[in-house]
Amino acid sequence: MPEGPELHLASLYVNKMCNGVVFTGPVRKSEVSKSPDVPFTCEAYRITAASRGKEVKLTLTPMKSDSSKQRVKAGEADHPMDIVFRFGMSGHFRLTPEDELPKHAHLRFYSKEKPCRVLSFVDTRRFGSWQPNGTWQPDRGPCIMFEYKSFRENVLSHLSERAFDRPICEVLLNQKYFNGIGNYLRAEILFRLNIPPFVPARTTLEGLVWEDLYETNKTVKNEITDTKTSGRAKKKGVKGEAGDLLRLCHTVPLEVVNLGGKGYDPMKADYSEFEAWLQCYCVDGMKSVRDHNGRTMWFKGDAGPMVPKDSKSPKAKKRVKKQDDHDYTDKKKAKGRTESTLKKKVVKQETVTKTPKKEKDVRPAEARSKRRQTEKAQEVKTPQNEKRSAARRRKSSSAEPTAGPQRRSSRVTRQNRK
């Protein structure tokens, strides 16, 4: 999911690729998108971009023209328009030739040049959105990267609120205070500070000061007091200087930005250097568990006292089971049948080797049943057998009425004898 660094790199990409490019005509939306139409059309306009946390703003600026006729045209825009984008899980921008339009280009800006190029907002999963004539979302806090001072003050001035009763890993995703932090950034920040993810957020942030002395090049000698030995004080001083959670919320995202196009390059989609930069998120040897919101948290060591009780780490086995459960093809069924029959055969062979006595009992019974079946089949086929069966039926019918009186007479004689 794109986070603060990716959205800032997206704005840099737009400014670089659209520098000097003149766009024209209406802004077109795909038929499948549920986001609003952009009521903007202009003969000539330019596009610039800016980012703030997890939002990107495109500004469409009409170019001034000497001819007054073009300005008077109905529907022509004569004022700039801001469009605020939120990327969701897969949003990004791409500038391509018109004949190489991406498959999931849901909002398109066409250039005036020939051959025409198109700036597209591409969103494969369609969780992203845009807002015409939009502004920065008021519920979001200051940007962690480019509004660091106000971001720090905003967090420390609201520590008494109920939001900070939650685990620190979940509070870091609260965009009201940590605008730009996402799933991979929270894992990397907590890992570097060796902070368990499920400890109370308030206790983690309470000891921090409003003004970051490290950033303003001031000494940190007098931060820690009441220490018993100077050696322990020095060690604690080092931890206090490097262990500022809010500072790392600012510096770690800037490391990703400094990767440049290697961190965000939609044309090449090469993230090898970014993956090499990761120390905790999706790294082999690290633990993972789902938080109370269902988001996967990556960490090392102890999870902390506020870990969900029935939390289970997402494993590859579960994914395999899901794939098997949802695979209803004929091939899959045939494989299942063959596997089951093979297992049954193996079980039969094992029982045969273990209990040879049962074989003797079973084989004659099978032979007898086969003989009876063959005899019955022969009786049905031959006419002689049909005559014999009819004669047997006659004898049995003639014998049945005599059986009753004989029994009765025998009973009467017995009674008379008594």
Side-chain angles (χ1 to χ4, degrees):
M1 181 177 180
E3 303 181 17
E6 286 74 36
L7 272 80
H8 179 66
L9 290 169
S11 67
L12 296 180
Y13 172 83
V14 171
N15 289 334
K16 178 182 177 181
M17 302 302 292
C18 296
N19 185 23
V21 180
V22 179
F23 294 85
T24 187
V27 179
R28 300 178 186 175
K29 187 190 78 168
S30 66
E31 296 178 355
V32 296
S33 176
K34 295 181 180 179
S35 295
D37 294 327
V38 178
F40 183 91
T41 181
C42 187
E43 185 66 24
Y45 65 94
R46 296 188 184 276
I47 297 178
T48 56
S51 70
R52 183 178 184 267
K54 282 194 176 184
E55 294 179 302
V56 171
K57 181 193 292 181
L58 293 191
T59 302
L60 316 182
T61 306
M63 298 177 64
K64 293 181 180 179
S65 177
D66 296 333
S67 59
S68 59
K69 293 181 180 180
Q70 291 182 357
R71 297 180 188 175
V72 179
K73 284 183 179 180
E76 285 284 326
D78 55 352
H79 295 289
M81 174 184 282
D82 292 332
I83 309 173
V84 177
F85 290 81
R86 298 173 191 96
F87 281 16
M89 297 188 71
S90 59
H92 63 274
F93 289 108
R94 283 190 64 184
L95 183 67
T96 61
E98 187 178 11
D99 56 353
E100 297 179 10
L101 201 67
K103 184 178 180 181
H104 300 281
H106 295 300
L107 197 66
R108 302 183 290 271
F109 308 86
Y110 291 81
S111 70
K112 199 173 184 178
E113 59 194 354
K114 291 184 181 181
C116 177
R117 290 187 293 172
V118 184
L119 176 68
S120 304
F121 176 67
V122 184
D123 188 10
T124 305
R125 303 187 69 176
R126 281 191 272 170
F127 290 147
S129 62
W130 59 81
Q131 182 183 0
N133 294 313
T135 56
W136 302 124
Q137 199 169 12
D139 294 338
R140 293 178 180 267
C143 180
I144 54 171
M145 294 181 290
F146 306 109
E147 298 172 332
Y148 176 50
K149 185 177 179 180
S150 55
F151 150 70
R152 189 179 182 90
E153 292 176 355
N154 182 50
V155 172
L156 296 177
S157 62
H158 291 89
L159 287 181
S160 60
E161 294 190 3
R162 294 179 61 185
F164 292 91
D165 294 339
R166 301 179 67 84
I168 184 61
C169 67
E170 296 177 9
V171 174
L172 285 174
L173 296 184
N174 190 337
Q175 301 301 297
K176 184 178 180 180
Y177 305 104
F178 297 89
N179 186 12
I181 298 292
N183 213 24
Y184 82 81
L185 281 176
R186 69 169 178 173
E188 296 298 318
I189 292 166
L190 294 177
F191 171 77
R192 296 189 185 194
L193 296 175
N194 197 23
I195 297 176
F198 292 95
V199 295
R202 186 177 293 105
T203 57
T204 308
L205 299 167
E206 273 179 340
L208 302 180
V209 295
W210 281 47
E211 186 178 1
D212 190 350
L213 303 179
Y214 181 80
E215 288 293 318
T216 54
N217 295 323
K218 292 183 180 180
T219 58
V220 199
K221 292 181 180 179
N222 298 324
E223 279 191 23
I224 299 167
T225 56
D226 298 332
T227 54
K228 293 181 180 180
T229 61
S230 60
R232 291 179 184 175
K234 287 180 182 179
K235 289 181 180 179
K236 288 184 178 180
V238 170
K239 286 183 180 179
E241 182 178 347
D244 193 322
L245 177 63
L246 296 180
R247 184 189 306 144
L248 263 70
C249 289
H250 168 66
T251 57
V252 172
L254 290 177
E255 291 180 13
V256 182
V257 173
N258 291 332
L259 294 175
K262 296 173 182 178
Y264 179 89
D265 192 354
M267 299 298 290
K268 296 180 181 179
D270 182 14
Y271 301 104
S272 57
E273 189 158 340
F274 172 73
E275 291 174 354
W277 173 85
L278 293 171
Q279 299 179 30
C280 178
Y281 183 76
C282 291
V283 175
D284 293 338
M286 297 297 165
K287 300 177 182 178
S288 64
V289 67
R290 296 192 186 279
D291 62 17
H292 294 89
N293 299 318
R295 301 287 301 275
T296 303
M297 177 67 212
W298 292 83
F299 63 98
K300 182 180 181 181
D302 184 25
M306 300 181 73
V307 65
K309 293 181 180 179
D310 299 329
S311 61
K312 295 181 180 179
S313 58
K315 297 179 181 179
K317 290 182 180 179
K318 291 184 179 180
R319 294 176 186 172
V320 172
K321 285 182 181 178
K322 287 182 179 179
Q323 289 175 1
D324 293 340
D325 292 340
H326 293 288
D327 193 349
Y328 297 110
T329 58
D330 294 333
K331 292 181 180 179
K332 191 69 181 179
K333 289 180 181 178
K335 287 181 181 178
R337 289 171 184 169
T338 53
E339 289 176 359
S340 61
T341 51
L342 288 171
K343 288 179 181 178
K344 289 179 181 177
K345 287 180 180 178
V346 171
V347 171
K348 285 182 180 179
Q349 289 176 0
E350 290 178 355
T351 53
V352 165
T353 54
K354 289 180 181 178
T355 57
K357 292 181 180 180
K358 290 184 179 180
E359 288 182 359
K360 296 179 181 179
D361 298 335
V362 173
R363 287 177 183 174
E366 291 179 353
R368 289 170 188 169
S369 62
K370 289 182 180 178
R371 288 175 185 173
R372 288 174 184 173
Q373 290 177 358
T374 52
E375 288 175 0
K376 288 180 180 179
Q378 289 175 358
E379 287 176 2
V380 172
K381 290 179 181 178
T382 58
Q384 293 177 357
N385 291 332
E386 289 180 358
K387 292 179 181 179
R388 290 176 184 174
S389 60
R392 287 174 184 173
R393 289 172 187 171
R394 290 172 187 171
K395 289 180 181 180
S396 60
S397 61
S398 61
E400 283 176 2
T402 58
Q406 286 177 358
R407 289 177 183 174
R408 290 173 185 171
S409 62
S410 63
R411 289 177 185 174
V412 171
T413 55
R414 287 177 185 174
Q415 289 176 358
N416 293 328
R417 287 176 185 174
K418 290 178 181 179

